[in-house]
Amino acid sequence: MKIMLWIILALFCYSSMAECQEEQVKKKLTLDEVLYLKSFKKQTEDEIWDQINRYGADIADEERTYDRLMAKGFSFEFIEKLHAFLRQVSKAAQWKPLAKELLEGGEKERLSKTMPGAESSWAVILGINDYRYNTAGLVDLQYAVNDAHAFAKYLLSLGISQEHIYLLTNEEATKEKLSNVLQELQKMITAKSTLYIYFSGHGAMHEGVGYFIMHETMCTEAEIAKTAYPMKQLKEELSKLQARRLLVFLDACHSGGARAVGGMETFNPKAAGLVREQKAGSSDPAARMEQQDIMMLASSQANQISLERGGNGIFTSYLLEGLKGKADRNRDKRVTIEEAYRYLVANVESQLPSVDFSPGWDEKFGMPCMETIQQSESVIAVPTPASTVKWIFQSVQMQNAAKQPQTEFKLGEAIYVKPRWMTQKLADGSQDEINVSGTGIKEIHKVFAKSKVGTWEYPLAVEFLKPAAGEYEIEVEIKVGGTSQQKKLKFTVIAPVVEPTYAGFTYLRTATYSCGDVTNTVKEYRHDQTGLEFVLIPGGKFMIGSPSKELSRESDELLHKVILAPYLICKTEVSQEVWEDVMLGNPSQFRGPKLPVEKVSWDDCMEFCQKTGLTLPTEAQWEAACRAGTQTPFNCGPIINVDIANYDGSYPYADAPKGKYRQETVPVASLPNANAYGLFDTHGNVWEWCLDWYGDYSTSQMIDPKGPVNGSNRVCRGGSWYNYAKDCRSAERSPNAQSRRDNHIGFRPVKCLSEIQVIDK
């Protein structure tokens, strides 16, 4: 009883400690913490992955790690994703993947065409809401992190990879972390790169020096110089980078103070990685590098305070609105920094945005956009006096091709928008005009020669810049006699259910099979070259080998777990007609077009595979496909009989009755023995060559094991017409010289999805 109480107390203390750690979140997640979150906190893999994304992981990239994760039931997808994450971290210690919602948001706003130079663009984005030391005058902010996230999504929409975006928010936005990131970028950025720097948070001036107030800054006269990030240090750090172009956006109170420390436009032009001017006669390679362009756009001048509104800082709100198209004055689908600055000046009335350029700044440089302002600032509309026009924008609705109201459409389906308005009073010379705009759609501009009194409606076809599933919002503007009214509405486009198609294969069907008390639903494909049908085996965790008490078990059938990536495997053994089409010959003893090819060596089979773009299955792949989720000696149950398998029925397994001994092969798929994946003849008919050398199973090679690196024999699986029933068990292994050719040995090929292109439909 006392022991039990001590155990309960220990578990309680461990749980409390883990909860405290979870709340504080001051360090990267360890493997033990990941296992605890799943086993005791019952968190989903998505929830755990979100925390790894946010806080990082202090986990060793080794087989023991994946063994423990697999033992706790983590999926193959999670393990594979963690493996990729740990490899990335080892290369870029300061980088972390962006949160799922940011990636989805960026993808939703993705431009139809990636911005030129996106592949060589990088970004460092900082947003600080929470400050560790709330000294006098320093209060936490509400929207700085939102602004940083919005800027990250904007860069993703341009086509910049998340692997090139460093996002530092709240407790990660420290002076040390920012310096480490900029130092790490020195190894990655090239002379062709563009670097975006964005900061949203507090800034301050002290003794003529501008500072970024970082998460851990002590904002007092005695400590600010030690704990804040001097803006002139940013200048020094950036001067060490090899980037050709630097764009710095500062959304912070007193951020204009960056100019007071020498100004971004006065960076040392001779410093490596900054504005470079070649000295006459200089032989220094760095001095001969092309000049670097620098731009700084700040939210306020020194001694002014940045404001916030409706979920975003007013500066960032209008900045992104302008960059996405509202600032595109000449409607060339590009927004220059000058256009963005003018848009900010026109809209941010409470502040005076400032912009500075290096002498060599390319004024034509701009970011691509999809939407543009409805009317150029250079054109001034002179509306008809309202007193002479009386009308109302009554309604607008989305319609299908049959002109029926609809808000959800299938991708490729005809979509219409139909506005309705009523005009009661007009002035001479009035015209009606319809404008339709929205992210991702082609703008519509329809002008009617003359306005008329009455009720009118006009359907317009909606066309996309790049057809894609998702949620869309459009704005419909009606102009009558120069006066304007607008309405917005949303609609959804759904992608049709299209099964993935792999290069060299054609999708056939989705089928459900039941066998041995197991039911699976699988996707089936046809191999275009050979006509053979394949089944997609889902990746995941499988048990290979046999339990110690299984009848007729051999010593080399160690029961162990493996993790396999998805792969395609042939539903049947290769027939003689297929072999002849590819190899132009037939070595088989028992002849017939539908009979399995036999008397083929391992080398013969590999030659066939090379000609068809296929390969032989590993032992793990073969047994996982054979078992189809079962753990019994056969995939149909504890015994087998000659009605469903071709083996020597004179020697049955366990208490099964004796049966016919056919003494020859039977046509492939001619017996009713499809397993729960739809594979035929996995027990009997002919042995099937595997890729592996024969040897003891490895307990450390768990992910897609491929057997020993060398050996003297290859492995055959499945048994044959010539063998006893016990030799046809799922776990039975038969070593054979790879040159051996017998009338009871054939094969079935596979295709690994890691070696195949997925066709995007």
Side-chain angles (χ1 to χ4, degrees):
M1 186 65 179
K2 290 182 179 180
I3 294 175
M4 182 61 69
L5 288 174
W6 275 110
I7 293 174
I8 294 173
L9 180 60
L11 287 173
F12 174 77
C13 292
Y14 180 65
S15 176
S16 299
M17 178 183 67
E19 289 177 0
C20 181
Q21 290 176 343
E22 181 181 355
E23 291 174 0
Q24 294 177 358
V25 192
K26 293 184 178 178
K27 62 186 182 69
K28 299 177 181 179
L29 291 180
T30 65
L31 178 58
D32 287 338
E33 287 168 336
V34 169
L35 298 175
Y36 170 82
L37 291 175
K38 183 176 182 68
S39 300
F40 293 95
K41 299 295 289 183
K42 304 301 181 184
Q43 290 191 5
T44 65
E45 290 185 358
D46 285 342
E47 291 171 334
I48 296 171
W49 186 250
D50 181 60
Q51 294 183 60
I52 291 176
N53 272 342
R54 291 168 61 193
Y55 311 125
D58 185 12
I59 299 174
D61 182 21
E62 59 186 18
E63 292 180 355
R64 184 172 177 272
T65 294
Y66 306 114
D67 186 10
R68 294 183 65 189
L69 290 170
M70 184 193 64
K72 290 296 183 181
F74 279 87
S75 68
F76 177 78
E77 290 76 14
F78 182 92
I79 293 173
E80 191 176 49
K81 189 161 54 173
L82 177 63
H83 180 49
F85 174 85
L86 295 177
R87 283 187 298 174
Q88 169 68 26
V89 168
S90 66
K91 295 179 181 178
Q94 305 300 325
W95 178 85
K96 287 200 325 182
L98 299 181
K100 180 181 179 182
E101 56 267 23
L102 295 184
L103 298 176
E104 292 176 346
E107 185 63 30
K108 185 176 180 180
E109 299 177 4
R110 184 74 176 262
L111 296 179
S112 58
K113 187 177 181 181
T114 298
M115 176 183 70
E119 71 283 351
S120 58
S121 295
W122 297 77
V124 179
I125 302 173
L126 299 96
I128 309 172
N129 284 346
D130 304 324
Y131 291 87
R132 183 180 299 175
Y133 306 109
N134 293 120
T135 52
L138 183 66
V139 297
D140 288 342
L141 300 175
Q142 291 182 309
Y143 309 117
V145 172
N146 288 355
D147 290 347
H149 288 172
F151 198 82
K153 286 191 286 187
Y154 168 68
L155 295 184
L156 289 169
S157 75
L158 298 180
I160 298 177
S161 167
Q162 73 149 329
E163 286 79 11
H164 285 199
I165 298 176
Y166 288 77
L167 178 62
L168 311 179
T169 58
N170 291 334
E171 63 270 10
E172 288 199 336
T174 65
K175 181 179 180 180
E176 180 183 10
K177 181 76 171 181
L178 178 55
S179 292
N180 290 341
V181 167
L182 293 174
Q183 290 172 20
E184 184 167 282
L185 284 175
Q186 292 180 31
K187 301 179 294 184
M188 303 179 183
I189 286 182
T190 69
K192 295 183 179 180
S193 298
T194 295
L195 175 63
Y196 296 83
I197 301 285
Y198 175 89
F199 178 87
S200 181
H202 280 302
M205 293 294 298
H206 180 64
E207 296 181 351
V209 178
Y211 292 93
F212 292 139
I213 307 303
M214 308 303 286
H215 170 71
E216 82 286 18
T217 297
M218 287 285 291
C219 202
T220 64
E221 287 194 21
E223 298 293 332
I224 188 170
K226 301 176 184 177
T227 58
Y229 191 95
M231 293 180 185
K232 58 184 177 182
Q233 182 178 341
L234 176 65
K235 179 178 73 172
E236 294 168 0
E237 297 278 11
L238 295 181
S239 72
K240 300 173 184 177
L241 300 177
Q242 295 292 310
R244 179 191 175 198
R245 184 180 292 114
L246 292 172
L247 293 93
V248 183
F249 301 90
L250 307 180
D251 187 2
C253 53
H254 304 296
S255 61
R259 305 170 67 200
V261 297
M264 293 292 181
E265 75 278 15
T266 60
F267 277 11
N268 181 1
K270 299 178 182 179
L274 216 55
V275 179
R276 301 179 181 89
E277 294 179 354
Q278 183 178 346
K279 295 181 180 180
S282 172
S283 60
D284 181 4
R288 294 194 298 270
M289 296 176 70
E290 57 186 341
Q291 288 193 343
Q292 181 184 55
D293 290 343
I294 308 166
M295 182 285 305
M296 182 192 75
L297 189 55
S299 65
S300 55
Q301 291 184 325
N303 301 322
Q304 290 184 311
I305 298 176
S306 295
L307 302 177
E308 298 173 331
R309 70 177 180 106
N312 288 100
I314 189 171
F315 170 80
T316 298
S317 175
Y318 282 112
L319 171 66
L320 294 179
E321 187 175 278
L323 292 176
K324 291 178 181 179
K326 294 294 186 181
D328 185 16
R329 299 177 65 250
N330 59 3
R331 302 195 181 196
D332 63 350
K333 299 296 183 182
R334 292 171 61 256
V335 176
T336 65
I337 297 301
E338 179 65 25
E339 286 178 321
Y341 170 65
R342 294 184 61 174
Y343 185 77
L344 285 167
V345 170
N347 289 280
V348 185
E349 299 176 356
S350 58
Q351 300 170 224
L352 182 58
S354 64
V355 64
D356 292 298
F357 303 101
S358 62
W361 178 262
D362 180 7
E363 295 181 357
K364 296 181 180 180
F365 172 78
M367 273 73 81
C369 62
M370 287 193 291
E371 59 175 305
T372 61
I373 56 177
Q374 294 302 311
Q375 180 173 300
S376 173
E377 294 175 9
S378 62
V379 179
I380 301 177
V382 182
T384 303
S387 59
T388 63
V389 178
K390 186 177 181 181
W391 68 283
I392 184 172
F393 190 172
Q394 293 180 315
S395 65
V396 62
Q397 64 178 204
M398 306 303 300
Q399 294 184 339
N400 57 24
K403 302 301 186 288
Q404 298 298 316
Q406 188 170 311
T407 58
E408 192 172 280
F409 302 85
K410 293 180 180 178
L411 189 63
E413 183 179 1
I415 303 175
Y416 295 86
V417 57
K418 187 182 76 171
R420 178 185 176 93
W421 68 102
M422 181 177 67
T423 304
Q424 297 174 313
K425 184 179 179 181
L426 288 168
D428 292 340
S430 296
Q431 288 184 328
D432 289 1
E433 182 178 343
I434 304 175
N435 294 304
V436 180
S437 62
T439 302
I441 70 167
K442 296 181 180 179
E443 293 184 0
I444 303 172
H445 181 63
K446 175 69 177 177
V447 178
F448 300 87
K450 184 178 180 180
S451 298
K452 296 181 180 180
V453 173
T455 299
W456 312 100
E457 56 186 35
Y458 197 91
L460 298 161
V462 175
E463 295 182 40
F464 296 90
L465 294 172
K466 183 179 180 181
E471 294 184 355
Y472 292 84
E473 183 178 76
I474 62 173
E475 181 179 277
V476 180
E477 177 190 41
I478 303 292
K479 289 184 177 180
V480 177
T483 61
S484 172
Q485 297 180 36
Q486 302 87 24
K487 289 184 182 293
K488 293 183 178 181
L489 70 166
K490 297 180 179 181
F491 65 95
T492 304
V493 176
I494 302 174
V497 179
V498 178
E499 298 299 337
T501 300
Y502 305 102
F505 291 81
T506 300
Y507 172 78
L508 296 177
R509 67 188 74 87
T510 297
T512 300
Y513 298 95
S514 296
C515 184
D517 296 327
V518 174
T519 299
N520 293 313
T521 299
V522 296
K523 295 177 175 58
E524 299 182 351
Y525 297 79
R526 181 181 63 250
H527 184 235
D528 295 337
Q529 180 181 347
T530 63
L532 291 168
E533 291 191 10
F534 283 68
V535 172
L536 177 61
I537 306 299
K541 180 176 64 177
F542 301 88
M543 293 300 298
I544 301 299
S546 60
S548 58
K549 295 183 179 180
E550 183 170 299
L551 182 64
S552 301
R553 179 182 190 267
E554 301 289 350
S555 60
D556 61 355
E557 297 173 15
L558 176 68
L559 186 65
H560 63 290
K561 299 174 185 177
V562 296
I563 300 173
L564 301 179
Y567 58 101
L568 293 162
I569 188 167
C570 193
K571 292 184 66 174
T572 65
E573 295 155 338
V574 173
S575 66
Q576 293 176 29
E577 63 181 358
V578 172
W579 179 274
E580 288 179 5
D581 286 342
V582 174
M583 306 297 288
L584 305 179
N586 186 356
S588 303
Q589 176 176 323
F590 307 109
R591 294 301 182 98
K594 300 297 183 183
L595 293 175
V597 66
E598 20 88 8
K599 297 195 74 173
V600 287
S601 68
W602 185 93
D603 296 304
D604 296 333
C605 296
M606 287 301 292
E607 182 180 356
F608 174 96
C609 290
Q610 290 170 1
K611 291 184 177 182
T612 56
L614 303 170
T615 190
L616 292 175
T618 64
E619 278 200 271
Q621 289 174 330
W622 188 95
E623 187 168 334
C626 171
R627 288 189 177 279
T630 63
Q631 289 301 311
T632 48
F634 305 93
N635 56 37
C636 55
I639 59 173
I640 201 169
N641 63 70
V642 295
D643 293 330
I644 61 172
N646 182 21
Y647 62 93
D648 186 351
S650 304
Y651 298 91
Y653 184 77
D655 56 354
K658 290 185 177 182
K660 181 190 302 184
Y661 177 29
R662 295 182 176 88
Q663 302 186 52
E664 62 181 1
T665 59
V666 298
V668 298
S670 62
L671 296 176
N673 58 21
N675 71 1
Y677 281 149
L679 305 186
F680 290 89
D681 304 317
T682 51
H683 301 305
N685 213 21
V686 290
W687 286 99
E688 298 174 19
W689 285 110
C690 288
L691 190 64
D692 310 45
W693 289 106
Y694 176 80
D696 291 336
Y697 283 132
S698 170
T699 56
S700 60
Q701 189 184 19
M702 298 172 52
I703 301 178
D704 286 322
K706 294 179 173 58
V709 295
N710 51 50
S712 57
N713 292 299
R714 299 287 182 174
V715 183
C716 289
R717 302 296 293 264
S720 74
W721 62 267
Y722 179 79
N723 296 97
Y724 302 163
K726 69 179 182 65
D727 301 318
C728 301
R729 293 176 301 112
S730 299
E732 178 71 19
R733 308 170 69 202
S734 176
N736 291 275
Q738 67 182 56
S739 60
R740 181 176 180 179
R741 295 183 177 93
D742 273 333
N743 61 5
H744 53 270
I745 300 179
F747 73 109
R748 78 174 70 221
V750 300
K751 183 65 177 181
C752 299
L753 297 191
S754 59
E755 304 170 355
I756 194 169
Q757 176 187 2
V758 179
I759 299 175
D760 184 7
K761 288 194 173 182

